[in-house]
Amino acid sequence: MQDDPKTLVSTDWLAAHLKDPDLRVLDASWYLPQQGRDARAEYEAAHIPGARYFDIDEISDNRSDLPHMVPPVEKFMSKLRAMGVGDGHQVVIYDGAGLFSAARVWWLFRLMGQTNVAVLDGGFPKWQAEGHPVEDLPPVIRDRHMTVRVQNHMVRDVTQVSAAAKLGDHEIIDARSAERFRGDAPEPREGLRAGHIPGSKNVPFGQVLNEDGTMKDPEGIRTAFESAGVDLSKPAITSCGSGVTAAILSLALERTGKTDHSLYDGSWVEWGAFPTLPVATGEN
């Protein structure tokens, strides 16, 4: 695996750089309610030394009825400043599942114009399995200003996704399970129709990961997308249930060198709740 401090770094890379003065490590663990895990409690019990806890639900747009939507710029800046994360820092993000929610926070940083940010490949499970140090101490915080330059091309709203679905000029890629994509399985959130955005392709996020929770190499990633019928020459829009696992596909696309990708922030929680939007079922 090739370390890239702008996308993905290995546990060996992080262990070698852990004491760098301008490194900031974030625990961005987040779980679905049915998983029965308390991300903050797990962080407080054990985390990578110096790591701060990034609460995906808290650092979001609380004015929206949709879950963990992109926060206002001012809120993002103030929350990160309070964590002691700012300009000139190299950020590494991990989660307790291996590679699940950390990609969402990587994408959020990139959306805010921060490029020196990477996900820890294999996350906390791999870090612990290899015997690297953990601690339960709160980090020492020193304020650091963060300059934000929003990259609006990296996010899409329902109107833009609806237009893309009609025109067919983008590849809309859905990271949910095949059963949910086809409409065979009920949605975990009440009130949502089953199925997918017409014309979208299904690449369940696990297909770009290895069995140990690390990300496949660029060739393996390309194979996963192309096997699902994705035309990688078109600009891509990633989607999922609520905008978390879609970011795994965004990170995977970036690892292949593809930069013309955006994420549908509302994802199925929004699309599936709109009775006027078309829904497709089955394989296509």
Side-chain angles (χ1 to χ4, degrees), residues 72-74 76-78 80 87 108-109 111-114 145-151:
V73 168
E74 300 75 20
F76 182 83
M77 289 170 66
S78 66
L80 270 294
D87 293 343
L108 186 57
F109 269 76
L111 176 67
M112 296 293 178
Q114 301 294 314
H145 174 73
M146 177 178 283
T147 305
V148 166
R149 298 180 187 87
V150 180
Q151 308 295 303

Side-chain angles (χ1 to χ4, degrees), residues 122-136:
F124 199 51
K126 191 168 189 287
W127 180 266
Q128 281 190 299
E130 292 170 351
H132 294 297
V134 299
E135 66 180 20
D136 58 3

Side-chain angles (χ1 to χ4, degrees), residues 174-188 193-196 202 204 207 268 280-283:
D174 192 326
R176 293 176 302 153
S177 69
E179 293 78 15
R180 287 173 66 190
F181 180 83
R182 291 193 304 261
D184 295 341
E187 284 297 306
R193 296 169 296 164
H196 58 267
N202 186 209
Q207 292 186 6
W268 196 252
T281 54
E283 298 289 345

Side-chain angles (χ1 to χ4, degrees), residues 3 51 74 89 94 96 103 130 134 141 146 150 161 181 188 191 201-202 236 250 269 276:
D3 291 308
E74 300 75 20
H89 284 146
Y94 74 90
E130 292 170 351
V134 299
I141 303 294
M146 177 178 283
V150 180
V161 176
F181 180 83
K201 308 286 172 56
N202 186 209
S250 299
V269 156
T276 54

